[in-house]
Amino acid sequence: MKLLMNEVLQKVSNAKTKAQKIKLLQEYNSPALRAILIANFDESVVSMLPEGDVPFEKNDAPEDTEHTKLVHEYRKLYLFFKGGANISQNRREMLFIQLLEGLHQGEAEVLCLMKDRKIGKRWKITKQCVEQAFPQIQWGNRS
């Protein structure tokens, strides 16, 4: 069974050395993981969502039942960043809440932290670690 995004980040965070963290990031490499880490660490990616807690109902259905997964839903992330989609702010916030309510609460937490650039505060993961794990990422070069 594939790990949820919060479980991958926890595994990386628990690694003792930077080399182990890099190895785990590479082992669990996916477009979704990279998109979330880029959105969190790349200064040129600007969230269009208000900072702080998001008022949503946590999806407390048992794991692997009625949840969508970030591995599939990450494709919608462009909606929440500057230059991504021309939609009203109200619509953007409603879509974000719907996305969160469909995810397992651990993955919803990942997105809430990502929008405020706080993944590194919750899990011991740094931009340097991500840069070394994924040298192909072009930081700050998007317009």
Side-chain angles (χ1 to χ4, degrees):
M1 185 181 89
K2 282 200 163 195
L3 294 179
L4 296 174
M5 205 57 62
N6 56 303
E7 295 170 326
V8 170
L9 294 172
Q10 189 60 55
K11 248 189 153 152
V12 173
S13 183
N14 290 345
K16 299 285 183 242
T17 67
K18 191 173 181 180
Q20 288 173 318
K21 289 179 192 283
I22 291 166
K23 186 174 182 288
L24 284 167
L25 283 170
Q26 290 170 337
E27 185 179 326
Y28 291 103
N29 181 15
S30 70
L33 177 63
R34 290 192 313 272
I36 287 162
L37 292 172
I38 289 168
N40 186 79
F41 290 113
D42 191 334
E43 315 296 314
S44 72
V45 177
V46 179
S47 174
M48 296 295 287
L49 296 164
E51 209 165 305
D53 291 340
V54 182
F56 74 100
E57 297 288 321
K58 289 185 170 51
N59 185 342
D60 53 10
E63 199 174 321
D64 265 353
T65 56
E66 300 166 24
H67 297 110
T68 54
K69 290 200 164 53
L70 264 177
V71 120
H72 307 293
E73 298 294 325
Y74 83 94
R75 290 180 183 93
K76 296 177 185 167
L77 293 179
Y78 76 95
L79 296 167
F80 312 115
F81 295 95
K82 191 172 188 172
N86 190 11
I87 56 177
S88 73
Q89 186 61 21
N90 196 28
R91 177 91 177 114
R92 180 177 285 117
E93 291 176 26
M94 277 179 34
L95 288 169
F96 192 66
I97 288 169
Q98 287 171 354
L99 176 61
L100 294 176
E101 289 178 347
L103 292 168
H104 180 275
Q105 54 191 23
E107 290 202 316
E109 179 190 15
V110 170
L111 286 189
C112 290
L113 291 167
M114 174 204 72
K115 80 169 178 65
D116 294 337
R117 298 186 188 281
K118 293 188 174 166
I119 284 179
K121 288 183 174 37
R122 166 73 174 78
W123 292 285
K124 291 186 222 121
I125 300 170
T126 63
K127 181 176 179 181
Q128 293 158 314
C129 230
V130 175
E131 286 173 328
Q132 289 182 344
F134 309 119
Q136 70 275 26
I137 293 175
Q138 299 294 306
W139 298 95
N141 293 347
R142 284 178 234 71
S143 50

